[in-house]
C-alpha cells in the first residue's frame, strides 16, 4: 500500500512538472506561474481530500462523481502534455548526446532548449479533452440519441416481420440530477411506438432508494402491446458497498427487484416466456447478470428450459461478455442477444456508419452496437444513464429501436 502511494506521488509529481514546464515555456509572468502553482496544489488537495472521505457504506454520491469528473478534467490534459514533452526530452537527450560524442562541440549546451512550438502544440492538444470533458458533463450526459437498427433473420416467423423492440439499459437512477432531461428521454421512448420494450438492467447504482424520486417519471413509459420486460444488471445486486448485515443487503436486493415491477416491467429471473402474434410466436428469455469479470448469477440452462433449438429466441443478458463465454456455445441457439453494461465507457469517438472507437473495446469485444457471428447477433446498448464519470463524451446515451426483418442480411 505504501509502495503504491509512493509510486502514485512520483507519477503525479512528474505530470505536474511537465505541465508546468509547458506553461513556463509560453508564459513569462511570474505572477501567472505562481497562481497556476497555487491553484494546481489546491485542486490536488481537494481531490485527495474528497476521495479520503469516500464512504463505502454509502457508495457513489454526487460528490464522488464530481470529484472524479474534476480529476479527469485536470489530469487527462496534463497527461497529454506530459507524453508530448517527454517525447521532446528524448529528442533533446538524443541530440545532446550526438553533439557531445560525435561533434565534440563544447560551445553547445548538452541539452537544446525546449522548443516553444512543442509546448504550443501540447497545450492545443490538451485543450481538446479539456473542453470535451466539460461538454460531456454539462451537455453530453443527457444528449439522448434514438438509434434504429434492422436485423434480418431467415427463420423469423412470418408474423414478426417488422416487429419493433425498444431497448433501454443502464439507467443508473442514482446519478440523475435533471428531471426535465429525464422526462424528455421518456418522451423519446414513448414516441417510438414499438411493439415491445425491453430493459436490460442496472436500474440503480447501489441502493433501491435511488430510484424512488424517479418512479413517477418512469411510470410514464406507456404500455406496449406485447409487453414490458426486464432483467437485472450487476449494479442491481448492491455489491459495491459495505452493508451493515447480510439481511440489510438482501432487503435492498428484494427492493431493487420490486422496482422493476413498480415501473410496469416484468422482471425475468432466469426464465422464458412466449410472445405470440397471430398464429406465430417467439421466445423471450431473460437471465440474471452473468459477466466474465462480474457476478455470475445467470443460468442459461434454467432460463431456456422447455425451449427447443429451432424456436426463434431473443435473450436479454446484461453483460455482453456472456455472449462469447456461454451464449454462442449453448446448444439451443439464441438468435438475438440484447445487452448493455459497457456504457461505451461514456468516452470515445463515433461517426455512425464510418468509425467507432472507445477504450471500452480493449476490454469488451462487443461494446456498442450490433455484432454478428455465425448468423447470431448481439446488440449492445450504450446506456440510458451514466455512472462514475458524470458525463459522456462521444458515446451518447441511447434509446435503441430494433426492427426484426425476415430474410437474409443484405449488408
Amino acid at each position: 500500500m505504501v509502495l503504491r502511494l509512493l509510486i502514485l506521488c512520483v507519477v503525479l509529481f512528474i505530470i505536474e512538472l511537465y505541465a508546468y514546464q509547458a506553461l513556463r515555456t509560453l508564459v513569462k509572468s511570474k505572477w501567472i506561474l505562481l497562481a497556476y502553482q497555487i491553484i494546481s496544489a489546491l485542486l490536488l488537495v481537494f481531490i485527495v481530500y474528497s476521495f479520503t472521505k469516500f464512504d463505502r457504506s454509502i457508495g457513489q454520491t454526487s460528490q464522488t462523481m464530481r470529484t472524479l469528473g474534476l480529476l479527469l478534467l485536470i489530469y487527462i490534459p496534463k497527461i497529454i502534455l506530459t507524453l508530448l514533452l517527454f517525447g521532446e526530452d528524448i529528442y533533446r537527450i538524443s541530440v545532446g548526446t550526438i553533439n557531445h560524442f560525435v561533434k565534440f562541440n563544447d560551445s553547445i549546451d548538452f541539452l537544446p532548449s525546449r522548443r516553444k512550438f512543442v509546448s504550443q502544440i501540447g497545450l492545443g492538444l490538451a485543450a481538446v479533452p479539456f473542453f470535451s470533458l466539460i461538454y460531456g458533463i454539462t451537455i453530453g450526459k443527457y444528449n439522448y440519441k434514438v438509434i434504429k437498427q434492422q436485423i434480418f433473420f431467415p427463420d423469423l416467423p412470418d408474423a414478426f416481420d417488422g416487429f419493433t423492440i425498444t431497448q433501454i439499459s443502464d439507467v443508473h437512477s442514482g446519478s440523475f440530477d435533471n428531471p426535465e432531461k429525464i422526462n424528455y428521454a421518456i418522451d423519446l421512448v414513448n414516441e417510438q411506438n414499438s411493439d415491445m420494450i425491453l430493459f436490460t438492467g442496472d436500474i440503480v447504482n447501489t441502493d433501491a432508494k435511488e430510484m424512488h424520486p424517479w418512479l413517477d417519471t418512469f411510470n410514464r413509459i406507456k404500455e406496449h402491446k406485447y409487453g414490458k420486460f426486464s432483467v437485472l444488471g450487476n449494479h442491481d445486486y448492491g455489491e459495491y458497498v459495505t452493508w451493515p448485515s447480510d439481511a440489510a443487503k438482501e432487503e435492498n436486493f428484494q427492493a431493487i427487484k420490486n422496482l422493476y415491477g413498480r415501473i410496469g416491467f416484468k422482471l425475468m429471473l432466469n426464465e422464458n416466456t412466449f410472445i405470440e402474434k397471430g398464429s406465430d410466436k417467439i421466445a423471450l428469455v431473460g437471465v440474471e447478470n452473468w459477466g466474465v469479470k462480474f457476478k455470475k448469477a445467470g443460468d442459461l440452462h434454467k432460463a431456456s428450459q422447455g425451449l427447443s433449438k429451432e424456436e426463434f429466441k431473443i435473450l436479454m443478458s446484461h453483460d455482453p461478455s456472456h455472449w462469447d463465454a456461454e451464449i454462442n456455445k449453448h446448444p439451443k441457439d439464441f438468435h438475438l442477444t440484447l445487452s448493455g453494461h459497457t456504457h461505451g465507457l461514456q468516452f470515445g469517438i463515433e461517426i455512425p456508419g464510418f468509425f467507432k472507437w472507445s477504450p471500452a473495446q480493449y476490454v469488451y469485444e462487443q461494446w456498442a452496437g450490433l455484432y454478428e457471428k455465425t448468423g447470431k447477433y448481439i446488440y449492445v446498448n450504450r446506456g440510458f444513464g451514466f455512472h462514475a464519470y458524470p458525463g459522456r463524451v462521444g458515446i451518447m446515451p441511447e434509446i435503441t429501436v430494433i426492427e426484426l426483418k425476415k430474410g437474409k442480411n443484405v449488408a
Side-chain angles (χ1 to χ4, degrees):
M1 182 66 180
V2 176
L3 180 60
R4 289 180 181 178
L5 184 61
L6 180 62
I7 292 173
L8 178 61
C9 290
V10 170
V11 171
L12 286 175
F13 174 77
I14 293 172
I15 291 172
E16 291 290 355
L17 179 63
Y18 271 109
Y20 177 73
Q21 288 290 326
L23 186 65
R24 193 176 69 171
T25 303
L26 301 176
V27 176
K28 301 305 178 185
S29 171
K30 293 182 179 180
W31 290 109
I32 294 178
L33 294 173
L34 178 62
Y36 169 82
Q37 290 175 302
I38 293 172
I39 292 171
S40 292
L42 290 175
L43 287 172
L44 180 58
V45 169
F46 172 77
I47 290 170
V48 172
Y49 173 78
S50 296
F51 279 126
T52 61
K53 292 299 180 180
F54 177 76
D55 187 347
R56 187 164 170 78
S57 66
I58 298 174
Q60 177 180 278
T61 64
S62 58
Q63 178 61 34
T64 57
M65 285 199 296
R66 283 194 294 266
T67 301
L68 180 57
L70 182 62
L71 176 69
L72 296 173
L73 188 64
I74 292 171
Y75 281 99
I76 286 182
K78 288 185 176 182
I79 288 171
I80 290 174
L81 279 172
T82 298
L83 293 173
L84 193 66
L85 266 63
F86 180 72
E88 186 195 21
D89 279 347
I90 293 175
Y91 169 81
R92 292 167 67 207
I93 292 171
S94 300
V95 171
T97 302
I98 292 171
N99 287 337
H100 184 75
F101 290 105
V102 177
K103 296 184 178 180
F104 303 103
N105 190 339
D106 296 331
S107 65
I108 300 177
D109 291 338
F110 178 75
L111 280 181
S113 299
R114 193 174 291 283
R115 293 166 294 178
K116 183 177 179 179
F117 83 91
V118 175
S119 295
Q120 290 174 325
I121 292 172
L123 288 169
L125 291 174
V128 175
F130 180 79
F131 288 110
S132 295
L133 288 165
I134 290 177
Y135 166 83
I137 293 170
T138 57
I139 299 175
K141 65 184 178 183
Y142 293 128
N143 186 14
Y144 290 96
K145 302 296 182 185
V146 176
I147 298 180
K148 298 187 177 184
Q149 179 72 63
Q150 282 188 334
I151 310 177
F152 289 81
F153 299 93
D155 54 348
L156 180 70
D158 292 340
F160 286 88
D161 187 14
F163 190 86
T164 53
I165 301 168
T166 291
Q167 181 197 5
I168 60 173
S169 191
D170 300 87
V171 163
H172 290 284
S173 54
S175 301
F176 294 155
D177 56 11
N178 191 321
E180 182 181 352
K181 296 295 186 182
I182 304 305
N183 273 292
Y184 165 72
I186 298 301
D187 287 340
L188 283 179
V189 170
N190 287 334
E191 286 171 11
Q192 306 316 309
N193 291 315
S194 294
D195 294 307
M196 181 169 65
I197 184 168
L198 304 179
F199 180 176
T200 45
D202 278 0
I203 197 170
V204 295
N205 295 332
T206 297
D207 197 308
K209 294 177 182 177
E210 296 167 15
M211 187 64 181
H212 290 175
W214 307 100
L215 288 172
D216 288 343
T217 303
F218 277 80
N219 266 311
R220 290 183 53 243
I221 297 177
K222 66 183 182 181
E223 292 299 323
H224 286 59
K225 184 176 181 180
Y226 293 91
K228 299 162 70 175
F229 300 90
S230 61
V231 291
L232 296 172
N234 57 301
H235 281 268
D236 293 329
Y237 294 84
E239 297 195 332
Y240 301 114
V241 299
T242 301
W243 294 96
S245 66
D246 289 342
K249 179 181 178 182
E250 180 60 25
E251 182 181 355
N252 180 68
F253 180 47
Q254 294 302 322
I256 287 174
K257 289 193 290 185
N258 290 338
L259 287 175
Y260 288 97
R262 292 178 70 180
I263 61 171
F265 282 79
K266 159 63 178 173
L267 180 62
M268 302 185 72
L269 301 169
N270 296 321
E271 58 189 286
N272 68 76
T273 188
F274 283 105
I275 309 298
E276 297 183 2
K277 186 178 182 184
S279 59
D280 290 328
K281 63 181 181 178
I282 62 175
L284 178 66
V285 185
V287 295
E288 292 193 50
N289 190 81
W290 195 103
V292 170
K293 298 180 180 179
F294 291 88
K295 188 175 185 70
K296 296 176 173 62
D299 187 336
L300 272 179
H301 177 72
K302 180 181 178 182
S304 60
Q305 199 165 20
L307 300 179
S308 69
K309 179 179 180 179
E310 292 73 27
E311 286 168 318
F312 190 93
K313 292 175 286 296
I314 296 174
L315 171 68
M316 291 187 290
S317 180
H318 177 73
D319 191 323
S321 66
H322 196 193
W323 198 54
D324 279 334
E326 282 196 351
I327 295 168
N328 271 351
K329 301 173 184 177
H330 198 275
K332 289 195 175 176
D333 284 352
F334 298 93
H335 296 72
L336 173 62
T337 300
L338 299 178
S339 298
H341 181 65
T342 72
H343 302 205
L345 209 67
Q346 298 168 211
F347 181 87
I349 302 170
E350 192 162 12
I351 303 173
F354 294 96
F355 182 76
K356 184 173 66 175
W357 174 88
S358 166
Q361 69 190 55
Y362 305 117
V363 182
Y364 292 91
E365 185 174 348
Q366 297 85 28
W367 60 273
L370 185 67
Y371 302 84
E372 181 270 338
K373 285 184 180 179
T374 62
K376 302 171 189 175
Y377 291 87
I378 182 171
Y379 191 92
V380 184
N381 181 283
R382 294 158 179 83
F384 185 96
F386 51 92
H387 182 255
Y389 164 59
R392 282 181 174 267
V393 178
I395 307 295
M396 296 299 117
E398 175 179 359
I399 297 161
T400 314
V401 179
I402 292 172
E403 182 181 10
L404 306 180
K405 296 294 291 180
K406 187 175 182 68
K408 294 183 177 180
N409 196 335
V410 296

